[in-house]
Structures are given as C-alpha cells and as structure tokens.
C-alpha cells in the first residue's frame, strides 16, 4: 500500500489540475459558508472596523472588477507557464519538465487565481435588493483579501519563473531532490547492494508484463508477503527505471503455488508507467544532471560552465551515497530464509551513469576532464584501500588516462600539464589499486 501511495503521489504531483480542483472545492465551501453565516447573523462582524459595509451596487462593482481581473491574470499566468515549459523543453530537455510541473509556486498561484474567481462568481448572485448598505459583509471582505493574496502570489510567481529557468537554479533543484532521496537511505553497514541472483534452478512459472512501459516501482514488501504465504521464492530480473515490453518476463516464481493468484499479486506489486520516475530510481535523477551537462556542451549551446556545475553536484551526490546502503537485492522472511530477489541499483552503476557519457562527450574540453578527475578524487578520499566501491572509481580514472594517452584530442602543453597534474593527484588517492 505504501508503494502504491508513493507511486500515486508521484503522478499527481506533476499535474496542474490538482491544486485548481482543490481550490475550486474550497472556494465553493467558503462562498456558501460565508453567505450562510451572514444570513444567520452569526458572529460579531459589526464591531470589526475593517469589514466591508457598502451597498449592493458598490459591492457588485468591486467584486465584478476583481473577478474580471482574475480571469485576465489567470490567462497571463497560464501563458507564462506554457512559455517557461517551452523554454525548458528546448534548452534543458523534455525530461526536466517534471521539475517545473511539480513546482508548488506554479500550482498554488494557478489554484489561488481560479479559486478566487469561482468564489467571486458564487457570491455575486447573493447581492440582490436585500443587500443592505452599512451592514457588515464578510463575504466581500474575504473577496478583497483574496485579491490581495493573488497579487502577492503573482509577484512571487514571476520571480520564481525568472529564477527557475536559470541553468544553475535548475541544476540545484534537481540536486536537492536527489539529495533528499539519498538522505532517506539507511546508513551503510554492510556490502549488501549488488548481491548476486540466487541459483534457484528452473522457474515453475513466470509472470509477464500486461503492457509496455517503464518500471516505476516495486512493492517489495508485497512480494515478500506473497512469497511467504505460498512458501515460494520470487525473482524480479528488472529494477525501477528499466523498460519492459508487453509480454516480457517481469518475475519468476519458484514453488508449487496457485499460479493465478500469485501472478495477480505479483502484477499488483509491480508498477509500470509511461515514463521513468525517481520514486525508486536514483539513476533517474543522476541522468537528469547528466542530461543538463550534455546539453550544455552540445555545439548548439556550448556552455561548459553549466556542465562543470552539474559535475560538481554529481560528485556531491555520489559522496553522500558513499556512506549509505543502497536497497538490498535479497529479501528474507522472519526465519531468515531467502524469499525474494529484486535487481537493484549498485554504486558501480551510479558511478558509470554519472561519468561515462560525460567522459566521452566532454573529452574535447580540458576543463571538463579535469573536473571529472577532481570529482573522482573528492569521492575517493577517505575510502579504505579494500573498500568495494573504490574499483569503480579507479576504473573511471583508468579510462580517462587511456583517453588522454590516445591523443584523440589535440592539447596544448598547458592543458596537457593541468590534466596530468589532476590525474597524478587522483592516482595518489587510489595508490593501492591499479589505475
């Protein structure tokens, strides 16, 4: 259930309809509630000096002006949103649009504008001939307050759009989400991640995907419970982020169990979507930083400074992951018996995902090569010589050394010396390993 709710939240958080829908509901409740309160004469509004007290025509003019302005401003806000999404898609890549769609500032501003508009429309019919001048009208007072709030939100929204489309701000936004995912991981105690798939022999039956899509999440607790109930073993050869074609095997079951019920339980525990999500996939956020860096050094943009910022944040994230335990691949029941195997992200995979493409695409930029080497040095400092995470770092350094020795990219003497010095410093960190 927890995995299902997390998956649902990830989908809903990227929608622009949820906050306006909630705002419209709240506006309806507030409008009818305030009018009902006024009709009953409840409260001590007459003694409050700032409560609105004008007559029918003045009230209609004020509320009508506010409502008309809100419609115009809401249209402008939608236009600004579309323009910012277009710019983000063309400059940073379509996969980074989720960061703009998930922005609380955009959703709250749109929700407040639409909700205030609906509130004003609903209270206007109540301003009939019985609308008394000099009597306190808290419903109109609330309309004026909402208008002031909307003005403040619009100013904040314009500021937010102006800053969020800056490359450095977007890189930092992606990193903060990646950092929050890393902080949620338990502290590293054992070398559990990357466990080999157990040898269980030939599967009694397999579960196939009912649709094509990306594996967004796996309910491991649900799989473990299913395996325990049927005294079976379940192997999932895919992990979150992998693409699955319709009819492809997503799970193998070992044991004499009811195939129909177990298959349904496993299918319910494996969530497929149209796109990758960071819910159980750290590599997705790493890929976003890599994509930003690759676009920055593309011929059309040619902005290596942004790529360097991305590399710095990648090294910071990998440095944090170094002290964390990645999700275990093997799950055991209460008796300690191995029941479920799920392919998981490994530290080697994160290192390769972060640096492979950047090393290849940035080979022509000495400053990028130097920054990658410095990042490897930063991550490797403090690791024990026999740490299982060192070889993947040393391998990256070895590949850079081979790349530089091949002379595929001409270097001036100064660049060559700077790269050689950075490599020498990094090699000292991995002195106990072949690089």
């Amino acid at each position: 259930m927890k995995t299902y709710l997390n998956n649902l939240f990830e989908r809903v958080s990227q929608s622009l309809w949820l906050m306006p829908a909630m705002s419209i509901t709240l506006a309806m409740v507030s409008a009818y509630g305030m009018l009902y309160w006024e009709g009953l004469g409840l409260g001590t509004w007459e003694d409050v000096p700032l409560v609105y007290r004008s007559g029918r025509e003045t009230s209609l003019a004020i509320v009508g002006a506010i409502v008309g302005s809100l419609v115009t401003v809401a249209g402008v806000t939608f236009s600004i949103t579309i323009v910012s999404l277009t710019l983000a898609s063309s400059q940073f890549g379509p996969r980074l649009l989720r960061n703009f769609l998930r922005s609380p500032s955009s959703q709250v501003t749109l929700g407040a504008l639409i909700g205030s508009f609906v509130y004003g429309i609903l209270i206007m019919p109540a301003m009939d001939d019985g609308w008394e001048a000099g009597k306190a009208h808290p419903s109109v007072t609330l309309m004026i307050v909402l208008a002031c709030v909307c003005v403040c939100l619009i100013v904040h929204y314009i500021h937010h759009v102006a800053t969020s489309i800056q490359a450095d701000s977007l890189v930092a936004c992606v990193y903060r989400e990646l950092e929050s995912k890393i902080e949620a991981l338990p502290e590293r105690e054992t070398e559990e991640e990357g466990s080999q798939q157990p040898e269980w022999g030939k599967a009694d039956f397999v579960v196939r995907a009912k649709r094509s899509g990306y594996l967004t999440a796996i309910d491991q607790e649900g799989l473990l419970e299913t395996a325990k109930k049927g005294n079976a073993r379940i192997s999932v050869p895919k992990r979150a982020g992998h693409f699955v074609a319709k009819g492809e095997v997503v799970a193998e079951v070992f044991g004499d169990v009811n195939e129909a019920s177990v298959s349904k339980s496993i299918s319910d525990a494996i969530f497929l979507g149209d796109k990758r999500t960071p819910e159980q996939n750290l590599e997705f956020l790493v890929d976003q930083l890599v994509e930003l860096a690759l676009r920055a050094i593309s011929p059309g943009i040619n902005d290596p400074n942004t790529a360097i910022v991305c590399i710095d944040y990648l090294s910071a994230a990998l440095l944090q992951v170094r002290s964390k335990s990645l999700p275990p691949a093997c799950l055991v029941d209460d008796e300690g018996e191995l029941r479920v195997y799920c392919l998981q992200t490994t530290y080697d995979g994160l290192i390769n995902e972060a640096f492979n493409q950047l090393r290849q695409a940035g080979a022509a930029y000495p400053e990028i090569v130097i920054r990658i080497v410095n990042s490897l040095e930063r991550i490797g400092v403090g690791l024990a010589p026999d740490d299982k995470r060192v070889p993947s770092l040393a391998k990256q350094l070895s590949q850079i050394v081979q790349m530089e020795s091949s002379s595929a990219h001409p270097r001036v003497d100064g660049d060559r010396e700077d790269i050689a010095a950075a490599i020498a410093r990094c090699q000292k960190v991995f002195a106990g390993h072949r690089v």
Side-chain angles (χ1 to χ4, degrees), residues 193-373:
E193 63 269 15
S195 300
Q196 296 296 321
Q197 184 172 2
E199 295 293 339
W200 284 333
K202 184 179 180 181
D204 290 275
F205 64 91
V206 298
V207 179
R208 300 184 182 275
K210 298 180 180 179
R211 53 163 292 192
S212 298
Y214 286 95
L215 205 161
T216 59
I218 300 174
D219 184 3
Q220 296 185 348
E221 294 180 359
L223 291 178
L224 183 59
E225 187 65 24
T226 299
K228 286 166 56 178
K229 286 182 178 179
N231 191 27
R233 294 175 176 83
I234 301 173
S235 175
V236 181
K238 304 285 185 180
R239 60 177 172 80
H242 279 177
F243 182 80
V244 178
K246 183 177 181 180
E248 189 175 355
V249 175
V250 293
E252 300 173 336
V253 181
F254 305 83
D256 186 13
V257 294
N258 187 305
E259 181 174 347
S261 62
V262 171
S263 296
K264 183 180 184 306
S265 298
I266 293 176
S267 296
D268 291 341
I270 297 178
F271 297 88
L272 297 177
D274 296 331
K275 54 190 175 182
R276 297 168 62 195
T277 65
E279 184 181 347
Q280 293 183 359
N281 184 19
L282 284 180
E283 290 184 2
F284 173 78
L285 296 171
V286 171
D287 283 341
Q288 285 196 329
L289 289 174
V290 172
E291 181 177 1
L292 279 168
L294 293 176
R295 282 181 171 267
I297 59 178
S298 64
I301 299 178
N302 195 23
D303 178 20
N305 288 329
T306 296
I308 288 175
V309 172
C310 293
I311 295 172
D312 288 339
Y313 277 113
L314 282 170
S315 66
L318 293 170
L319 185 62
Q320 284 184 288
V321 176
R322 199 183 71 175
S323 61
K324 298 291 186 176
S325 286
L326 296 174
C330 298
L331 304 178
V332 298
D333 58 18
D334 299 335
E335 286 74 32
E337 184 175 355
L338 179 59
R339 290 290 185 184
V340 176
Y341 170 82
C342 293
L343 186 65
Q344 294 286 359
T345 298
T346 64
Y347 194 73
D348 289 354
L350 291 174
I351 291 291
N352 293 333
E353 200 75 23
F355 295 124
N356 277 353
Q357 294 186 72
L358 285 173
R359 186 189 68 250
Q360 297 159 4
Y365 296 85
E367 63 271 32
I368 290 180
V369 175
I370 292 173
R371 192 55 64 100
I372 292 176
V373 174

Side-chain angles (χ1 to χ4, degrees), residues 45-232:
W45 297 106
E46 303 297 336
D47 300 329
V48 181
L50 296 179
V51 176
Y52 186 81
R53 289 180 169 81
S54 294
R56 173 179 177 271
E57 292 190 3
T58 305
S59 299
L60 279 173
I62 292 177
V63 175
I66 294 175
V67 169
S69 300
L70 288 174
V71 172
T72 303
V73 174
V76 173
T77 304
F78 275 109
S79 299
I80 294 175
T81 302
I82 295 301
V83 170
S84 63
L85 291 178
T86 303
L87 288 173
S89 178
S90 60
Q91 184 171 356
F92 304 123
R95 278 167 291 281
L96 288 162
L97 289 182
R98 63 179 296 275
N99 297 282
F100 292 89
L101 293 174
R102 295 176 73 251
S103 169
S105 178
S106 303
Q107 297 183 3
V108 170
T109 302
L110 291 173
L113 290 171
I114 295 175
S116 300
F117 168 77
V118 172
Y119 176 83
I121 290 295
L122 293 177
I123 66 171
M124 288 180 70
M127 300 175 188
D128 52 16
D129 295 336
W131 194 265
E132 301 178 17
K135 181 181 177 181
H137 299 294
S139 58
V140 181
T141 305
L142 180 58
M143 183 76 258
I144 297 174
V145 171
L146 289 175
C148 296
V149 171
C150 288
V151 170
C152 296
L153 288 174
I154 284 296
V155 174
H156 176 268
Y157 178 70
I158 294 174
H159 169 76
H160 167 73
V161 171
T163 56
S164 63
I165 61 176
Q166 298 177 21
D168 289 352
S169 298
L170 183 57
V171 172
C173 178
V174 175
Y175 170 73
R176 285 193 296 270
E177 185 177 4
L178 176 57
E179 184 181 38
S180 66
K181 297 291 184 181
I182 295 173
E183 289 177 350
L185 296 173
E187 292 297 322
R188 183 187 181 198
E189 297 179 357
T190 61
E191 297 287 348
E192 293 181 351
E193 63 269 15
S195 300
Q196 296 296 321
Q197 184 172 2
E199 295 293 339
W200 284 333
K202 184 179 180 181
D204 290 275
F205 64 91
V206 298
V207 179
R208 300 184 182 275
K210 298 180 180 179
R211 53 163 292 192
S212 298
Y214 286 95
L215 205 161
T216 59
I218 300 174
D219 184 3
Q220 296 185 348
E221 294 180 359
L223 291 178
L224 183 59
E225 187 65 24
T226 299
K228 286 166 56 178
K229 286 182 178 179
N231 191 27

